[in-house]
Amino acid sequence: MSEMRELYQQVILDHNQRPRNFGTLEEANRSAEGYNPLCGDSIRLQLVVEDGIVKDAAFEGEGCAIVTASASLMTEAVKGKTVEEAEEMFREVIELLTGDPAEEAEVAPKLGKMAVFSGVREYPLRVKCASLAWHTMHAALENEQDAVTTE
Ligand code: ZN
């Protein structure tokens, strides 16, 4: 567990100092916004989806270390995936963060670095930060017009 904790801190630090895919995409054809008022997180996500594949992803916004790291990892993870694969990852991440521990053990190996976020499940406020980017990605793929909010 302490090893996981250490890895978690490394990932959060790394992705905060150098968020991947931070910015905007001129050719984006899907976008969504997500808000977590309890923490003050706000992100805007853009995707380029062509032929059922997420060709590119970028985000911008302001938020805590967890939401920034999670959004950075999420954009890395979904790039090059089919829409179905990205949606499957969304479901797996939500299970990792909110499901029971048996499910966590099953999905964690599939999620790469995102698996380090399993530690936040004990902190409901942090779960909202960690899941916001994924809910926003899900909304962008569904082309929902309303902004995502954790409340
Ligand atoms: Zn937050």
Side-chain angles (χ1 to χ4, degrees), residues 73-102:
L73 282 165
M74 182 277 291
T75 53
E76 264 195 331
V78 300
K79 263 203 217 182
K81 296 278 194 309
T82 66
V83 169
E84 287 75 23
E85 287 167 342
E87 292 280 40
E88 178 67 17
M89 281 193 90
F90 161 70
R91 284 188 292 272
E92 288 170 350
V93 167
I94 299 309
E95 239 168 52
L96 177 85
L97 295 172
T98 63
D100 69 48

Side-chain angles (χ1 to χ4, degrees), residues 66-131:
I66 295 175
V67 75
T68 304
S70 176
S72 174
L73 282 165
M74 182 277 291
T75 53
E76 264 195 331
V78 300
K79 263 203 217 182
K81 296 278 194 309
T82 66
V83 169
E84 287 75 23
E85 287 167 342
E87 292 280 40
E88 178 67 17
M89 281 193 90
F90 161 70
R91 284 188 292 272
E92 288 170 350
V93 167
I94 299 309
E95 239 168 52
L96 177 85
L97 295 172
T98 63
D100 69 48
E103 286 164 349
E104 181 197 327
E106 197 185 304
V107 297
K110 300 183 207 166
L111 295 174
K113 282 185 187 163
M114 211 38 225
V116 303
F117 282 87
S118 64
V120 306
R121 60 193 295 135
E122 291 156 44
Y123 310 98
L125 286 176
R126 307 284 86 169
V127 166
K128 292 185 177 188
C129 301
S131 62

